[in-house]
Each structure stands twice: as structure tokens, then as C-alpha cells.
Amino acid sequence: MSSDTHVYSYSAVLMGSPILLKLFDHNEALAGAVFRVIKQQEILLTVNRPQSEVMSVNHAAGVEPVVVSQPVFDLIARARAVSVLPESLFNVTIGPLVKRWKIGFHGDSVPPAEELQALLPLTNPQQVILDPAARSVFLPQRGMEIDLGAIAKGYIADRVRDFLRQQGVEHALINLGGNVQTLGGTPDSEAPGWGIGLKKPFGAPEELIGVITVSGKSVVTSGVYERYFELAGKRYHHILDPASGYPLDNELLSVTVISEDSIDGDIYTTLLYGMGVKKGLDYLANTPEIEAVFVTRDRQVICSSQRQFSFTLLDADFHAV
Ligand code: ADP
Ligand code: MG
Ligand code: MG
């Protein structure tokens, strides 16, 4: 960076993740306000606390519809719509399976097959009843649970971007632990893009496969190495296949999505995970607003068209194709 551009980094731990904010002004008060925006949103959406708007819906499953705020209603509606797409891996009603596996939380274990089988009928997203006029959400079976874990961080990253824009900020980066959203590029004319590291799966935190460079875009990565546990030499990671009830097993180690809105990044990482590389690339060829970088178990790094980003490979053990 040239000498007149100084980056100020602010960090916090929120939503169980390390949060990093980068600004080009020294502004503690603004950083504090950003962290408050994140907390306010988490309080509405989380399923990792006893109380939230989403938990109120879950507690009333099989009993009655629950009225939620308009943003939460819209988010659940979006998550439901994505869940009912043909062959979608994304499932907004995955909650009972997530809670049973507890992957990445204390007490994670491989549940007996018959227990998982018994939970599958509680994970049908078609059954979520939305009433836009009443702004209510109803889960008709007792035991059904909404889980917004695959979409909430993206949604919140966009709210942070909107907030910073309202405050007149032109250049900033927010990283919500795997979900990065940027405002503009950096003010440095020599290096105007934000370089965002693509982590080496199962490597040390600072080990990178390469760098994705963007301006004013979101970069979201979902990987099997983010949250998992090992038992008898087998790894169980946190992206579950709603068809089987088990972690999804395919050729992928991670999917990174580059898009305007981070909510799309969060949704599409999950959808593309389910599609795999071949179907995923076919899909992206007809969806120019969404771009992706796939990392496979055989150490290939496969990029879509690179109109919205550029990729630099750093690790010679991986091959860019
Ligand atoms: P992270 O950013 O924590 O890696 P992801 O965006 O990859 O999260 O989403 C994973 C989380 O989403 C899980 O921790 C769980 O709460 C939830 N989840 C797991 N499987 C699915 C699925 N098939 N559909 C929707 N949500 C899921
Ligand atoms: Mg996601
Ligand atoms: Mg995510």
C-alpha cells in the first residue's frame, strides 16, 4: 500500500466467530456501531440461544403460527424458496438434524441411523407455512425447526454494508468468519482491489491456496474443514445432506462464491456444494451475476468466468484449471 493509505482493523468475537472490520479512518465509535448492528441481527436470527424470533417459531412448531418482524419473515421466505428448488441441497428446515449431530459443538457424535431416519420427515421445507398478510410463520409438525445457519451471516454482512454506506463510508471490509463483504476497493491506487485469502483446507489458519481479488463484492466460502469432528478415522463436517441425514460426501473441499450481495454468496455456496463441479459450472455459465471458485479433494482449483474477480494461485500443491 502507498504510504498515505492506512488500514485500521477492528475485531470482535460475535456469533461464535472472529469478526474483522477494516476501515481507512481511525474510528472506534463507528466500529462499535458496526458490532452493535451485528449483535442486533443475531438476536433475531440465531438458533444457538434460547430466545430469538426464529426460536419463537421453532418453539411453536405443531402448535400455532408466530408473527415475526418483516425482515425475518422475508429472510425465511427467501430461505424457503431456495429450499424447494428442484434438487436443492439447501434446506431451511434442517434444524432437527443439525441439533442431533451437534457438529462443532460440545457433545457431537454420530447418531444411530434409525434416529436420523426418524428425523427426515421433520425436514420437509414444503411444509413451512408463510402468511405474508399476517407476517406469520407456522411449522405444522411438532419437532420441526428452522435453521438459518447457512444464510444468516450473508444477510448480516449485507446489513453491515448498508449501514456503512449510510454512514458515508466508501471503502471498507467486513469479515464475519468466512463471509466477506466489501465496500468499494481500497483507496490505494496501486492496489485498488481487496485481496481475500482462499484458505488451505485443513491447513494452519494463515496457509492460503491463493488470493481472490475483488472490489465492492462479497466473497463467501463454505468448506468441509470449517466445522467438523473425527471419529474412527472418518470426518463428519457441518453441511448436511437433507436426503440422507448425513454430511454431504462429494469431490469438494470448499466452494467460494463471488457476488454482489453476501446473502447470495451464502445461498449459492450451499447450492453449488450440492451440485458439484460439473453441474455447478454449467449452472454458473447461465448465471453471470454469481461466480465461484471450487476446491476439490484432488487439489484442483476451478474458477468460473472471472469477470467479477481475479484469482492468484500461491500453493504449488494445487492446480488451477
Ligand atoms: P459456515 O459459514 O458456518 O461454514 P455455511 O454457510 O456453510 O456455514 O452453512 C452451514 C450451516 O448451515 C450449518 O452449520 C447448519 O447450521 C446449516 N446447514 C447444514 N446443512 C444445511 C443444509 N443442507 N441446508 C441449509 N442449512 C444447512
Ligand atoms: Mg452458507
Ligand atoms: Mg457461511
Side-chain angles (χ1 to χ4, degrees), residues 89-91 94 98 147 149-150 153 222 226-227 238-240 242 266:
L89 179 70
F90 197 107
N91 186 326
I94 200 87
V98 173
D147 181 331
K153 279 192 205 166
S222 200
E226 281 176 51
R227 239 180 313 136
H238 71 317
I239 303 164
L240 300 176
D266 230 353

Side-chain angles (χ1 to χ4, degrees), residues 252 277 281 292-296 298 300-304 319-321:
L252 288 167
V277 177
L281 287 173
V293 179
F294 298 90
V295 179
T296 66
D298 56 2
Q300 296 194 354
V301 183
I302 303 146
C303 294
S304 66
H319 306 278
V321 279

Side-chain angles (χ1 to χ4, degrees), residues 2-318:
S2 59
S3 55
D4 57 339
T5 347
H6 189 85
V7 185
Y8 295 87
S9 295
Y10 301 89
S11 53
V13 176
L14 298 167
M15 308 184 289
S17 297
I19 311 287
L20 179 69
L21 172 68
K22 291 188 182 184
L23 300 172
F24 292 92
D25 290 313
H26 179 64
N27 194 338
E28 294 276 351
L30 183 61
V34 165
F35 296 144
R36 279 196 296 280
V37 168
I38 296 168
K39 274 184 218 155
Q40 280 161 4
Q41 295 295 334
E42 187 200 6
I43 286 167
L44 300 175
L45 303 175
T46 186
V47 292
N48 297 321
R49 291 167 188 253
Q51 281 306 321
S52 69
E53 287 201 13
V54 173
M55 283 309 289
S56 306
V57 173
N58 291 346
H59 287 316
V63 180
E64 61 189 359
V66 172
V67 176
V68 295
S69 62
Q70 191 67 51
V72 172
F73 183 87
D74 293 344
L75 188 60
I76 293 173
R78 177 90 198 272
R80 183 192 188 280
V82 173
S83 302
V84 300
L85 293 171
E87 293 178 51
S88 176
L89 179 70
F90 197 107
N91 186 326
V92 67
T93 53
I94 200 87
L97 289 170
V98 173
K99 284 278 156 74
R100 184 59 191 84
W101 278 92
K102 298 200 193 91
I103 294 171
F105 291 90
H106 182 72
D108 45 14
S109 62
V110 181
E114 53 289 359
E115 270 190 48
L116 293 175
Q117 210 57 40
L119 293 174
L120 294 183
L122 296 173
T123 62
N124 180 355
Q126 305 268 5
Q127 291 182 354
V128 178
I129 298 167
L130 299 176
D131 181 342
R135 242 197 297 118
S136 68
V137 184
F138 181 42
L139 305 178
Q141 292 190 70
R142 208 176 267 274
M144 283 181 82
E145 281 183 63
I146 284 176
D147 181 331
L148 299 177
I151 193 173
K153 279 192 205 166
Y155 172 81
I156 295 173
D158 292 338
R159 298 294 70 76
V160 169
R161 174 203 53 197
D162 296 348
F163 173 75
L164 287 169
R165 253 190 212 149
Q166 282 164 16
Q167 302 299 310
V169 174
E170 288 172 21
H171 307 276
L173 178 149
I174 181 83
N175 186 347
L176 303 182
N179 280 62
V180 174
Q181 178 58 286
T182 62
L183 278 85
T186 75
D188 185 342
S189 52
E190 285 161 36
W194 292 102
I196 293 156
L198 179 60
K199 275 195 200 159
K200 182 172 177 170
F202 306 108
E206 66 283 359
E207 279 187 288
L208 302 179
I209 298 177
V211 175
I212 293 168
T213 304
V214 295
S215 284
K217 301 282 172 196
S218 154
V219 180
V220 178
T221 299
S222 200
V224 299
Y225 54 88
E226 281 176 51
R227 239 180 313 136
Y228 65 95
F229 68 98
E230 279 172 322
L231 194 77
K234 203 173 155 20
R235 254 183 225 127
Y236 297 89
H237 65 79
H238 71 317
I239 303 164
L240 300 176
D241 179 353
S244 68
Y246 285 85
L248 182 69
D249 209 5
N250 66 11
E251 83 272 34
L252 288 167
L253 287 178
S254 72
V255 179
T256 299
V257 170
I258 298 93
S259 56
E260 185 80 23
D261 290 334
S262 207
I263 189 170
D264 292 326
D266 230 353
I267 290 171
Y268 277 97
T269 47
T270 303
L271 291 180
L272 291 167
Y273 229 106
M275 291 182 205
V277 177
K278 198 183 167 307
K279 271 193 193 170
L281 287 173
D282 287 348
Y283 182 87
L284 293 171
N286 297 313
T287 316
E289 65 277 17
I290 305 296
E291 295 226 51
V293 179
F294 298 90
V295 179
T296 66
R297 284 182 203 279
D298 56 2
R299 300 211 189 95
Q300 296 194 354
V301 183
I302 303 146
C303 294
S304 66
S305 72
Q306 296 194 49
R307 277 184 291 253
Q308 303 189 58
F309 72 102
S310 60
F311 178 70
T312 311
L313 188 72
L314 297 176
D315 186 333
D317 287 345
F318 286 79

